[in-house]
mmCIF file of all heavy atoms in Angstrom:
data_model
loop_
_atom_site.group_PDB
_atom_site.id
_atom_site.type_symbol
_atom_site.label_atom_id
_atom_site.label_comp_id
_atom_site.label_asym_id
_atom_site.label_seq_id
_atom_site.Cartn_x
_atom_site.Cartn_y
_atom_site.Cartn_z
ATOM 1 N N ARG A 9 -57.769 7.431 -68.164
ATOM 2 C CA ARG A 9 -57.815 7.807 -66.749
ATOM 3 C C ARG A 9 -58.751 8.985 -66.511
ATOM 4 O O ARG A 9 -59.405 9.075 -65.476
ATOM 5 C CB ARG A 9 -56.423 8.178 -66.239
ATOM 6 C CG ARG A 9 -55.483 7.010 -66.039
ATOM 7 C CD ARG A 9 -55.956 6.035 -64.947
ATOM 8 N NE ARG A 9 -56.319 6.676 -63.698
ATOM 9 C CZ ARG A 9 -55.462 7.020 -62.741
ATOM 10 N NH1 ARG A 9 -54.165 6.819 -62.902
ATOM 11 N NH2 ARG A 9 -55.882 7.580 -61.614
ATOM 12 N N TYR A 10 -58.801 9.868 -67.464
ATOM 13 C CA TYR A 10 -59.652 11.057 -67.338
ATOM 14 C C TYR A 10 -60.405 11.278 -68.639
ATOM 15 O O TYR A 10 -59.885 11.013 -69.728
ATOM 16 C CB TYR A 10 -58.819 12.302 -67.013
ATOM 17 C CG TYR A 10 -58.001 12.166 -65.761
ATOM 18 C CD1 TYR A 10 -56.675 11.728 -65.833
ATOM 19 C CD2 TYR A 10 -58.534 12.472 -64.518
ATOM 20 C CE1 TYR A 10 -55.915 11.583 -64.682
ATOM 21 C CE2 TYR A 10 -57.784 12.325 -63.363
ATOM 22 C CZ TYR A 10 -56.482 11.888 -63.455
ATOM 23 O OH TYR A 10 -55.743 11.744 -62.312
ATOM 24 N N TYR A 35 -68.035 -0.427 -60.947
ATOM 25 C CA TYR A 35 -68.638 0.348 -59.865
ATOM 26 C C TYR A 35 -68.568 1.829 -60.212
ATOM 27 O O TYR A 35 -67.634 2.295 -60.861
ATOM 28 C CB TYR A 35 -67.899 0.117 -58.543
ATOM 29 C CG TYR A 35 -67.999 -1.283 -58.011
ATOM 30 C CD1 TYR A 35 -67.158 -2.286 -58.461
ATOM 31 C CD2 TYR A 35 -68.948 -1.610 -57.044
ATOM 32 C CE1 TYR A 35 -67.253 -3.580 -57.979
ATOM 33 C CE2 TYR A 35 -69.052 -2.893 -56.539
ATOM 34 C CZ TYR A 35 -68.199 -3.872 -57.015
ATOM 35 O OH TYR A 35 -68.296 -5.147 -56.524
ATOM 36 N N GLN A 37 -68.372 5.525 -58.357
ATOM 37 C CA GLN A 37 -68.082 6.148 -57.067
ATOM 38 C C GLN A 37 -68.335 7.647 -57.148
ATOM 39 O O GLN A 37 -67.729 8.349 -57.980
ATOM 40 C CB GLN A 37 -66.636 5.888 -56.630
ATOM 41 C CG GLN A 37 -66.331 6.422 -55.242
ATOM 42 C CD GLN A 37 -64.909 6.124 -54.789
ATOM 43 O OE1 GLN A 37 -64.003 5.943 -55.597
ATOM 44 N NE2 GLN A 37 -64.720 6.051 -53.489
ATOM 45 N N GLY A 40 -71.583 11.653 -53.055
ATOM 46 C CA GLY A 40 -72.880 11.543 -52.397
ATOM 47 C C GLY A 40 -73.365 10.125 -52.189
ATOM 48 O O GLY A 40 -73.893 9.781 -51.134
ATOM 49 N N GLN A 41 -73.179 9.288 -53.180
ATOM 50 C CA GLN A 41 -73.706 7.918 -53.147
ATOM 51 C C GLN A 41 -72.663 6.881 -52.781
ATOM 52 O O GLN A 41 -73.010 5.724 -52.514
ATOM 53 C CB GLN A 41 -74.315 7.557 -54.504
ATOM 54 C CG GLN A 41 -75.467 8.441 -54.915
ATOM 55 C CD GLN A 41 -76.618 8.354 -53.953
ATOM 56 O OE1 GLN A 41 -77.000 7.268 -53.499
ATOM 57 N NE2 GLN A 41 -77.202 9.494 -53.594
ATOM 58 N N GLY A 42 -71.413 7.252 -52.766
ATOM 59 C CA GLY A 42 -70.369 6.283 -52.454
ATOM 60 C C GLY A 42 -70.144 5.325 -53.609
ATOM 61 O O GLY A 42 -70.316 5.682 -54.772
ATOM 62 N N LEU A 43 -69.782 4.103 -53.270
ATOM 63 C CA LEU A 43 -69.490 3.082 -54.276
ATOM 64 C C LEU A 43 -70.748 2.279 -54.560
ATOM 65 O O LEU A 43 -71.311 1.642 -53.678
ATOM 66 C CB LEU A 43 -68.395 2.144 -53.769
ATOM 67 C CG LEU A 43 -66.988 2.684 -53.865
ATOM 68 C CD1 LEU A 43 -66.113 2.118 -52.759
ATOM 69 C CD2 LEU A 43 -66.393 2.308 -55.226
ATOM 70 N N PHE A 45 -72.563 -0.608 -57.220
ATOM 71 C CA PHE A 45 -72.329 -1.663 -58.193
ATOM 72 C C PHE A 45 -73.119 -1.404 -59.471
ATOM 73 O O PHE A 45 -74.314 -1.110 -59.419
ATOM 74 C CB PHE A 45 -72.737 -2.987 -57.566
ATOM 75 C CG PHE A 45 -72.741 -4.154 -58.507
ATOM 76 C CD1 PHE A 45 -71.558 -4.722 -58.958
ATOM 77 C CD2 PHE A 45 -73.944 -4.690 -58.945
ATOM 78 C CE1 PHE A 45 -71.571 -5.801 -59.814
ATOM 79 C CE2 PHE A 45 -73.970 -5.770 -59.803
ATOM 80 C CZ PHE A 45 -72.780 -6.338 -60.233
ATOM 81 N N GLU A 48 -71.641 -7.037 -63.389
ATOM 82 C CA GLU A 48 -70.547 -8.001 -63.387
ATOM 83 C C GLU A 48 -70.656 -8.857 -64.640
ATOM 84 O O GLU A 48 -71.749 -9.284 -65.023
ATOM 85 C CB GLU A 48 -70.587 -8.904 -62.156
ATOM 86 C CG GLU A 48 -69.466 -9.951 -62.168
ATOM 87 C CD GLU A 48 -69.600 -10.989 -61.073
ATOM 88 O OE1 GLU A 48 -70.683 -11.094 -60.472
ATOM 89 O OE2 GLU A 48 -68.607 -11.696 -60.817
ATOM 90 N N ARG A 55 -73.616 -11.328 -65.403
ATOM 91 C CA ARG A 55 -74.080 -12.195 -64.330
ATOM 92 C C ARG A 55 -74.956 -11.464 -63.325
ATOM 93 O O ARG A 55 -75.758 -12.066 -62.623
ATOM 94 C CB ARG A 55 -72.883 -12.791 -63.579
ATOM 95 C CG ARG A 55 -72.116 -13.829 -64.367
ATOM 96 C CD ARG A 55 -72.956 -15.064 -64.649
ATOM 97 N NE ARG A 55 -72.202 -16.141 -65.244
ATOM 98 C CZ ARG A 55 -71.646 -17.119 -64.566
ATOM 99 N NH1 ARG A 55 -71.757 -17.153 -63.255
ATOM 100 N NH2 ARG A 55 -70.969 -18.067 -65.188
ATOM 101 N N ASN A 56 -74.752 -10.175 -63.227
ATOM 102 C CA ASN A 56 -75.459 -9.423 -62.205
ATOM 103 C C ASN A 56 -75.488 -7.965 -62.638
ATOM 104 O O ASN A 56 -74.575 -7.489 -63.318
ATOM 105 C CB ASN A 56 -74.745 -9.558 -60.856
ATOM 106 C CG ASN A 56 -75.616 -9.124 -59.691
ATOM 107 O OD1 ASN A 56 -76.796 -8.841 -59.856
ATOM 108 N ND2 ASN A 56 -75.030 -9.075 -58.513
ATOM 109 N N LEU A 88 -66.212 8.721 -60.564
ATOM 110 C CA LEU A 88 -65.072 7.846 -60.797
ATOM 111 C C LEU A 88 -65.638 6.458 -61.072
ATOM 112 O O LEU A 88 -66.401 5.926 -60.263
ATOM 113 C CB LEU A 88 -64.151 7.804 -59.569
ATOM 114 C CG LEU A 88 -62.915 6.915 -59.669
ATOM 115 C CD1 LEU A 88 -61.943 7.455 -60.728
ATOM 116 C CD2 LEU A 88 -62.219 6.821 -58.322
ATOM 117 N N LEU A 90 -64.920 2.623 -61.486
ATOM 118 C CA LEU A 90 -63.916 1.644 -61.099
ATOM 119 C C LEU A 90 -64.250 0.275 -61.657
ATOM 120 O O LEU A 90 -65.400 -0.159 -61.634
ATOM 121 C CB LEU A 90 -63.829 1.558 -59.573
ATOM 122 C CG LEU A 90 -63.254 2.789 -58.873
ATOM 123 C CD1 LEU A 90 -63.573 2.749 -57.391
ATOM 124 C CD2 LEU A 90 -61.758 2.881 -59.090
ATOM 125 N N ALA A 97 -66.509 -15.701 -61.139
ATOM 126 C CA ALA A 97 -67.676 -14.902 -60.782
ATOM 127 C C ALA A 97 -68.007 -15.127 -59.319
ATOM 128 O O ALA A 97 -68.126 -16.260 -58.867
ATOM 129 C CB ALA A 97 -68.857 -15.294 -61.665
ATOM 130 N N GLY A 98 -68.181 -14.051 -58.598
ATOM 131 C CA GLY A 98 -68.514 -14.149 -57.191
ATOM 132 C C GLY A 98 -67.369 -14.673 -56.350
ATOM 133 O O GLY A 98 -67.515 -14.868 -55.152
ATOM 134 N N ASN A 99 -66.254 -14.933 -56.935
ATOM 135 C CA ASN A 99 -65.100 -15.432 -56.193
ATOM 136 C C ASN A 99 -64.311 -14.233 -55.706
ATOM 137 O O ASN A 99 -63.534 -13.655 -56.437
ATOM 138 C CB ASN A 99 -64.253 -16.314 -57.102
ATOM 139 C CG ASN A 99 -63.052 -16.906 -56.369
ATOM 140 O OD1 ASN A 99 -62.682 -16.459 -55.294
ATOM 141 N ND2 ASN A 99 -62.449 -17.885 -56.966
ATOM 142 N N GLN A 100 -64.523 -13.865 -54.500
ATOM 143 C CA GLN A 100 -63.844 -12.711 -53.950
ATOM 144 C C GLN A 100 -62.424 -13.091 -53.618
ATOM 145 O O GLN A 100 -62.136 -14.250 -53.386
ATOM 146 C CB GLN A 100 -64.602 -12.249 -52.707
ATOM 147 C CG GLN A 100 -66.102 -12.281 -52.833
ATOM 148 C CD GLN A 100 -66.645 -11.248 -53.795
ATOM 149 O OE1 GLN A 100 -65.883 -10.523 -54.404
ATOM 150 N NE2 GLN A 100 -67.947 -11.191 -53.935
ATOM 151 N N PRO A 101 -61.457 -12.266 -53.446
ATOM 152 C CA PRO A 101 -61.652 -10.824 -53.464
ATOM 153 C C PRO A 101 -61.535 -10.220 -54.854
ATOM 154 O O PRO A 101 -61.061 -10.866 -55.767
ATOM 155 C CB PRO A 101 -60.510 -10.316 -52.592
ATOM 156 C CG PRO A 101 -59.423 -11.302 -52.833
ATOM 157 C CD PRO A 101 -60.109 -12.626 -53.027
ATOM 158 N N GLN A 102 -61.995 -9.010 -54.959
ATOM 159 C CA GLN A 102 -61.897 -8.274 -56.196
ATOM 160 C C GLN A 102 -60.713 -7.315 -56.127
ATOM 161 O O GLN A 102 -60.449 -6.716 -55.100
ATOM 162 C CB GLN A 102 -63.192 -7.508 -56.464
ATOM 163 C CG GLN A 102 -64.400 -8.417 -56.655
ATOM 164 C CD GLN A 102 -65.667 -7.660 -56.911
ATOM 165 O OE1 GLN A 102 -65.666 -6.457 -57.083
ATOM 166 N NE2 GLN A 102 -66.784 -8.381 -56.938
ATOM 167 N N HIS A 103 -60.022 -7.210 -57.245
ATOM 168 C CA HIS A 103 -58.866 -6.327 -57.347
ATOM 169 C C HIS A 103 -59.236 -5.168 -58.256
ATOM 170 O O HIS A 103 -59.678 -5.395 -59.380
ATOM 171 C CB HIS A 103 -57.665 -7.090 -57.888
ATOM 172 C CG HIS A 103 -57.267 -8.236 -57.010
ATOM 173 N ND1 HIS A 103 -56.325 -8.117 -56.018
ATOM 174 C CD2 HIS A 103 -57.699 -9.525 -56.965
ATOM 175 C CE1 HIS A 103 -56.187 -9.280 -55.398
ATOM 176 N NE2 HIS A 103 -57.009 -10.140 -55.956
ATOM 177 N N PHE A 104 -59.014 -3.965 -57.778
ATOM 178 C CA PHE A 104 -59.502 -2.780 -58.466
ATOM 179 C C PHE A 104 -58.424 -2.072 -59.283
ATOM 180 O O PHE A 104 -57.246 -2.066 -58.910
ATOM 181 C CB PHE A 104 -60.055 -1.780 -57.456
ATOM 182 C CG PHE A 104 -61.403 -2.153 -56.906
ATOM 183 C CD1 PHE A 104 -61.521 -3.104 -55.903
ATOM 184 C CD2 PHE A 104 -62.545 -1.564 -57.402
ATOM 185 C CE1 PHE A 104 -62.768 -3.462 -55.397
ATOM 186 C CE2 PHE A 104 -63.797 -1.904 -56.910
ATOM 187 C CZ PHE A 104 -63.900 -2.863 -55.911
ATOM 188 N N GLY A 105 -58.864 -1.455 -60.374
ATOM 189 C CA GLY A 105 -58.021 -0.549 -61.127
ATOM 190 C C GLY A 105 -58.061 0.839 -60.509
ATOM 191 O O GLY A 105 -58.747 1.061 -59.501
ATOM 192 N N ASP A 106 -57.334 1.779 -61.121
ATOM 193 C CA ASP A 106 -57.286 3.142 -60.596
ATOM 194 C C ASP A 106 -58.472 3.993 -61.041
ATOM 195 O O ASP A 106 -58.611 5.126 -60.600
ATOM 196 C CB ASP A 106 -55.977 3.818 -61.001
ATOM 197 C CG ASP A 106 -54.794 3.315 -60.194
ATOM 198 O OD1 ASP A 106 -55.022 2.790 -59.080
ATOM 199 O OD2 ASP A 106 -53.653 3.444 -60.670
ATOM 200 N N GLY A 107 -59.279 3.457 -61.927
ATOM 201 C CA GLY A 107 -60.504 4.146 -62.288
ATOM 202 C C GLY A 107 -60.379 5.099 -63.451
ATOM 203 O O GLY A 107 -59.277 5.491 -63.854
ATOM 204 N N ARG A 109 -61.898 8.811 -64.380
ATOM 205 C CA ARG A 109 -62.623 9.978 -63.854
ATOM 206 C C ARG A 109 -63.388 10.626 -64.998
ATOM 207 O O ARG A 109 -62.781 11.169 -65.924
ATOM 208 C CB ARG A 109 -61.649 10.969 -63.247
ATOM 209 C CG ARG A 109 -62.259 12.308 -62.831
ATOM 210 C CD ARG A 109 -63.116 12.186 -61.609
ATOM 211 N NE ARG A 109 -62.353 11.775 -60.439
ATOM 212 C CZ ARG A 109 -62.884 11.539 -59.253
ATOM 213 N NH1 ARG A 109 -64.188 11.662 -59.078
ATOM 214 N NH2 ARG A 109 -62.121 11.183 -58.245
ATOM 215 N N TYR B 32 -68.714 -12.822 -46.926
ATOM 216 C CA TYR B 32 -67.298 -12.522 -46.993
ATOM 217 C C TYR B 32 -67.147 -11.057 -46.562
ATOM 218 O O TYR B 32 -68.001 -10.232 -46.883
ATOM 219 C CB TYR B 32 -66.777 -12.674 -48.421
ATOM 220 C CG TYR B 32 -66.732 -14.087 -48.950
ATOM 221 C CD1 TYR B 32 -66.817 -14.330 -50.321
ATOM 222 C CD2 TYR B 32 -66.577 -15.178 -48.118
ATOM 223 C CE1 TYR B 32 -66.760 -15.613 -50.832
ATOM 224 C CE2 TYR B 32 -66.522 -16.459 -48.611
ATOM 225 C CZ TYR B 32 -66.610 -16.677 -49.966
ATOM 226 O OH TYR B 32 -66.561 -17.947 -50.473
ATOM 227 N N PHE B 34 -64.460 -7.583 -46.145
ATOM 228 C CA PHE B 34 -63.246 -6.995 -46.691
ATOM 229 C C PHE B 34 -63.034 -5.590 -46.130
ATOM 230 O O PHE B 34 -63.981 -4.888 -45.788
ATOM 231 C CB PHE B 34 -63.336 -6.864 -48.230
ATOM 232 C CG PHE B 34 -63.713 -8.113 -48.930
ATOM 233 C CD1 PHE B 34 -65.048 -8.455 -49.111
ATOM 234 C CD2 PHE B 34 -62.745 -8.975 -49.415
ATOM 235 C CE1 PHE B 34 -65.407 -9.619 -49.764
ATOM 236 C CE2 PHE B 34 -63.098 -10.139 -50.072
ATOM 237 C CZ PHE B 34 -64.432 -10.463 -50.238
ATOM 238 N N TYR B 36 -60.882 -2.242 -47.670
ATOM 239 C CA TYR B 36 -60.105 -1.664 -48.749
ATOM 240 C C TYR B 36 -59.641 -0.274 -48.328
ATOM 241 O O TYR B 36 -60.292 0.399 -47.532
ATOM 242 C CB TYR B 36 -60.946 -1.514 -50.022
ATOM 243 C CG TYR B 36 -61.236 -2.791 -50.773
ATOM 244 C CD1 TYR B 36 -62.344 -3.578 -50.453
ATOM 245 C CD2 TYR B 36 -60.412 -3.207 -51.819
ATOM 246 C CE1 TYR B 36 -62.616 -4.746 -51.168
ATOM 247 C CE2 TYR B 36 -60.689 -4.358 -52.528
ATOM 248 C CZ TYR B 36 -61.789 -5.126 -52.194
ATOM 249 O OH TYR B 36 -62.045 -6.285 -52.901
ATOM 250 N N GLN B 38 -58.237 3.516 -50.030
ATOM 251 C CA GLN B 38 -58.153 4.305 -51.258
ATOM 252 C C GLN B 38 -57.410 5.612 -50.977
ATOM 253 O O GLN B 38 -57.845 6.408 -50.151
ATOM 254 C CB GLN B 38 -59.557 4.606 -51.797
ATOM 255 C CG GLN B 38 -59.556 5.325 -53.138
ATOM 256 C CD GLN B 38 -60.978 5.567 -53.659
ATOM 257 O OE1 GLN B 38 -61.909 5.819 -52.894
ATOM 258 N NE2 GLN B 38 -61.151 5.483 -54.979
ATOM 259 N N GLY B 41 -57.039 9.886 -55.859
ATOM 260 C CA GLY B 41 -56.727 9.639 -57.261
ATOM 261 C C GLY B 41 -56.408 8.196 -57.595
ATOM 262 O O GLY B 41 -55.996 7.896 -58.720
ATOM 263 N N GLN B 42 -56.584 7.323 -56.643
ATOM 264 C CA GLN B 42 -56.248 5.914 -56.853
ATOM 265 C C GLN B 42 -57.491 5.036 -56.769
ATOM 266 O O GLN B 42 -58.553 5.474 -56.327
ATOM 267 C CB GLN B 42 -55.256 5.456 -55.778
ATOM 268 C CG GLN B 42 -53.988 6.282 -55.683
ATOM 269 C CD GLN B 42 -53.010 5.935 -56.777
ATOM 270 O OE1 GLN B 42 -52.738 4.773 -57.041
ATOM 271 N NE2 GLN B 42 -52.470 6.941 -57.437
ATOM 272 N N GLY B 43 -57.291 3.793 -57.176
ATOM 273 C CA GLY B 43 -58.353 2.820 -56.995
ATOM 274 C C GLY B 43 -58.323 2.268 -55.580
ATOM 275 O O GLY B 43 -57.676 2.810 -54.692
ATOM 276 N N LEU B 44 -59.038 1.170 -55.363
ATOM 277 C CA LEU B 44 -59.107 0.560 -54.039
ATOM 278 C C LEU B 44 -58.073 -0.551 -53.925
ATOM 279 O O LEU B 44 -57.964 -1.396 -54.826
ATOM 280 C CB LEU B 44 -60.496 -0.026 -53.795
ATOM 281 C CG LEU B 44 -61.580 0.944 -53.316
ATOM 282 C CD1 LEU B 44 -61.956 1.932 -54.400
ATOM 283 C CD2 LEU B 44 -62.805 0.183 -52.855
ATOM 284 N N LEU B 46 -56.905 -3.789 -51.624
ATOM 285 C CA LEU B 46 -57.387 -4.719 -50.609
ATOM 286 C C LEU B 46 -56.407 -4.783 -49.445
ATOM 287 O O LEU B 46 -55.225 -5.064 -49.630
ATOM 288 C CB LEU B 46 -57.556 -6.106 -51.222
ATOM 289 C CG LEU B 46 -58.041 -7.206 -50.281
ATOM 290 C CD1 LEU B 46 -59.483 -6.937 -49.837
ATOM 291 C CD2 LEU B 46 -57.940 -8.577 -50.960
ATOM 292 N N LYS B 49 -59.075 -9.670 -45.797
ATOM 293 C CA LYS B 49 -60.356 -10.301 -46.066
ATOM 294 C C LYS B 49 -60.624 -11.375 -45.024
ATOM 295 O O LYS B 49 -59.699 -11.947 -44.454
ATOM 296 C CB LYS B 49 -60.358 -10.931 -47.460
ATOM 297 C CG LYS B 49 -59.303 -12.008 -47.652
ATOM 298 C CD LYS B 49 -59.253 -12.474 -49.084
ATOM 299 C CE LYS B 49 -58.231 -13.600 -49.269
ATOM 300 N NZ LYS B 49 -56.847 -13.135 -49.108
ATOM 301 N N PHE B 51 -62.942 -14.879 -44.820
ATOM 302 C CA PHE B 51 -63.828 -15.832 -45.476
ATOM 303 C C PHE B 51 -64.391 -16.800 -44.448
ATOM 304 O O PHE B 51 -65.591 -17.062 -44.409
ATOM 305 C CB PHE B 51 -63.093 -16.605 -46.572
ATOM 306 C CG PHE B 51 -62.823 -15.802 -47.815
ATOM 307 C CD1 PHE B 51 -63.220 -14.482 -47.942
ATOM 308 C CD2 PHE B 51 -62.156 -16.378 -48.896
ATOM 309 C CE1 PHE B 51 -62.967 -13.749 -49.087
ATOM 310 C CE2 PHE B 51 -61.909 -15.646 -50.057
ATOM 311 C CZ PHE B 51 -62.310 -14.342 -50.144
ATOM 312 N N GLU B 88 -58.683 6.999 -47.360
ATOM 313 C CA GLU B 88 -60.065 6.649 -47.082
ATOM 314 C C GLU B 88 -60.177 5.133 -47.018
ATOM 315 O O GLU B 88 -59.618 4.428 -47.867
ATOM 316 C CB GLU B 88 -61.007 7.212 -48.140
ATOM 317 C CG GLU B 88 -62.478 7.096 -47.767
ATOM 318 C CD GLU B 88 -63.383 8.028 -48.536
ATOM 319 O OE1 GLU B 88 -62.971 8.530 -49.589
ATOM 320 O OE2 GLU B 88 -64.538 8.228 -48.077
ATOM 321 N N PHE B 90 -62.605 1.679 -46.696
ATOM 322 C CA PHE B 90 -63.926 1.148 -46.994
ATOM 323 C C PHE B 90 -64.056 -0.286 -46.498
ATOM 324 O O PHE B 90 -63.193 -1.126 -46.766
ATOM 325 C CB PHE B 90 -64.190 1.159 -48.504
ATOM 326 C CG PHE B 90 -64.279 2.526 -49.094
ATOM 327 C CD1 PHE B 90 -63.164 3.144 -49.630
ATOM 328 C CD2 PHE B 90 -65.493 3.202 -49.131
ATOM 329 C CE1 PHE B 90 -63.236 4.416 -50.180
ATOM 330 C CE2 PHE B 90 -65.586 4.477 -49.689
ATOM 331 C CZ PHE B 90 -64.451 5.079 -50.203
ATOM 332 N N GLY B 94 -69.637 -9.276 -49.135
ATOM 333 C CA GLY B 94 -70.025 -9.953 -50.363
ATOM 334 C C GLY B 94 -70.572 -11.323 -50.030
ATOM 335 O O GLY B 94 -70.197 -11.927 -49.032
ATOM 336 N N ALA B 95 -71.438 -11.828 -50.898
ATOM 337 C CA ALA B 95 -72.019 -13.135 -50.667
ATOM 338 C C ALA B 95 -71.031 -14.228 -51.042
ATOM 339 O O ALA B 95 -70.057 -13.981 -51.745
ATOM 340 C CB ALA B 95 -73.299 -13.289 -51.473
ATOM 341 N N ARG B 96 -71.326 -15.404 -50.600
ATOM 342 C CA ARG B 96 -70.442 -16.526 -50.857
ATOM 343 C C ARG B 96 -70.790 -17.244 -52.152
ATOM 344 O O ARG B 96 -70.117 -18.184 -52.526
ATOM 345 C CB ARG B 96 -70.496 -17.509 -49.684
ATOM 346 C CG ARG B 96 -69.908 -16.899 -48.431
ATOM 347 C CD ARG B 96 -70.163 -17.735 -47.193
ATOM 348 N NE ARG B 96 -69.569 -17.094 -46.015
ATOM 349 C CZ ARG B 96 -68.459 -17.506 -45.429
ATOM 350 N NH1 ARG B 96 -67.837 -18.574 -45.891
ATOM 351 N NH2 ARG B 96 -67.969 -16.874 -44.390
ATOM 352 N N GLN B 97 -71.830 -16.805 -52.828
ATOM 353 C CA GLN B 97 -72.163 -17.475 -54.073
ATOM 354 C C GLN B 97 -71.894 -16.546 -55.244
ATOM 355 O O GLN B 97 -71.788 -15.342 -55.093
ATOM 356 C CB GLN B 97 -73.626 -17.931 -54.098
ATOM 357 C CG GLN B 97 -74.645 -16.806 -54.036
ATOM 358 C CD GLN B 97 -75.147 -16.543 -52.631
ATOM 359 O OE1 GLN B 97 -74.437 -16.827 -51.671
ATOM 360 N NE2 GLN B 97 -76.333 -16.009 -52.502
ATOM 361 N N ALA B 98 -71.806 -17.167 -56.414
ATOM 362 C CA ALA B 98 -71.495 -16.397 -57.613
ATOM 363 C C ALA B 98 -72.637 -15.470 -57.981
ATOM 364 O O ALA B 98 -73.775 -15.684 -57.602
ATOM 365 C CB ALA B 98 -71.224 -17.361 -58.766
ATOM 366 N N GLY B 99 -72.279 -14.429 -58.717
ATOM 367 C CA GLY B 99 -73.306 -13.530 -59.249
ATOM 368 C C GLY B 99 -73.795 -12.496 -58.279
ATOM 369 O O GLY B 99 -74.870 -11.928 -58.460
ATOM 370 N N THR B 100 -73.048 -12.221 -57.248
ATOM 371 C CA THR B 100 -73.456 -11.181 -56.308
ATOM 372 C C THR B 100 -72.373 -10.119 -56.221
ATOM 373 O O THR B 100 -71.202 -10.396 -56.467
ATOM 374 C CB THR B 100 -73.724 -11.748 -54.911
ATOM 375 O OG1 THR B 100 -72.560 -12.412 -54.457
ATOM 376 C CG2 THR B 100 -74.890 -12.707 -54.936
ATOM 377 N N ALA B 101 -72.766 -8.923 -55.861
ATOM 378 C CA ALA B 101 -71.849 -7.797 -55.861
ATOM 379 C C ALA B 101 -71.382 -7.455 -54.458
ATOM 380 O O ALA B 101 -72.027 -7.790 -53.464
ATOM 381 C CB ALA B 101 -72.545 -6.586 -56.466
ATOM 382 N N LEU B 102 -70.260 -6.779 -54.380
ATOM 383 C CA LEU B 102 -69.810 -6.243 -53.109
ATOM 384 C C LEU B 102 -70.700 -5.069 -52.718
ATOM 385 O O LEU B 102 -71.089 -4.264 -53.557
ATOM 386 C CB LEU B 102 -68.370 -5.756 -53.221
ATOM 387 C CG LEU B 102 -67.268 -6.805 -53.299
ATOM 388 C CD1 LEU B 102 -65.921 -6.134 -53.448
ATOM 389 C CD2 LEU B 102 -67.286 -7.723 -52.093
ATOM 390 N N PHE B 104 -70.572 -1.810 -50.291
ATOM 391 C CA PHE B 104 -69.591 -1.005 -49.586
ATOM 392 C C PHE B 104 -70.230 -0.087 -48.558
ATOM 393 O O PHE B 104 -71.348 0.394 -48.744
ATOM 394 C CB PHE B 104 -68.811 -0.135 -50.585
ATOM 395 C CG PHE B 104 -67.810 -0.886 -51.407
ATOM 396 C CD1 PHE B 104 -68.176 -1.500 -52.591
ATOM 397 C CD2 PHE B 104 -66.489 -0.973 -50.991
ATOM 398 C CE1 PHE B 104 -67.248 -2.186 -53.353
ATOM 399 C CE2 PHE B 104 -65.555 -1.664 -51.743
ATOM 400 C CZ PHE B 104 -65.940 -2.273 -52.923
ATOM 401 N N GLY B 105 -69.479 0.185 -47.487
ATOM 402 C CA GLY B 105 -69.841 1.267 -46.598
ATOM 403 C C GLY B 105 -69.494 2.591 -47.248
ATOM 404 O O GLY B 105 -68.863 2.636 -48.314
ATOM 405 N N LYS B 106 -69.882 3.681 -46.596
ATOM 406 C CA LYS B 106 -69.643 5.024 -47.151
ATOM 407 C C LYS B 106 -68.198 5.479 -46.981
ATOM 408 O O LYS B 106 -67.795 6.489 -47.554
ATOM 409 C CB LYS B 106 -70.571 6.036 -46.485
ATOM 410 C CG LYS B 106 -72.040 5.800 -46.797
ATOM 411 C CD LYS B 106 -72.385 6.123 -48.221
ATOM 412 C CE LYS B 106 -73.891 6.127 -48.437
ATOM 413 N NZ LYS B 106 -74.246 6.317 -49.847
#
Side-chain angles (χ1 to χ4, degrees):
Chain A
R9 286 296 310 277
Y10 303 94
Y35 295 83
Q37 185 178 25
Q41 299 298 317
L43 281 150
F45 172 73
E48 178 189 15
R55 289 295 188 94
N56 196 7
L88 180 66
L90 291 164
N99 182 344
Q100 319 291 2
Q102 297 180 7
H103 300 268
F104 284 79
D106 285 338
R109 172 72 64 183
Chain B
Y32 291 154
F34 308 86
Y36 286 87
Q38 185 178 35
Q42 304 282 313
L44 277 69
L46 179 67
K49 60 187 182 291
F51 286 0
E88 191 161 18
F90 294 93
R96 293 170 180 255
Q97 63 264 26
T100 57
L102 287 178
F104 286 87
K106 294 290 190 185

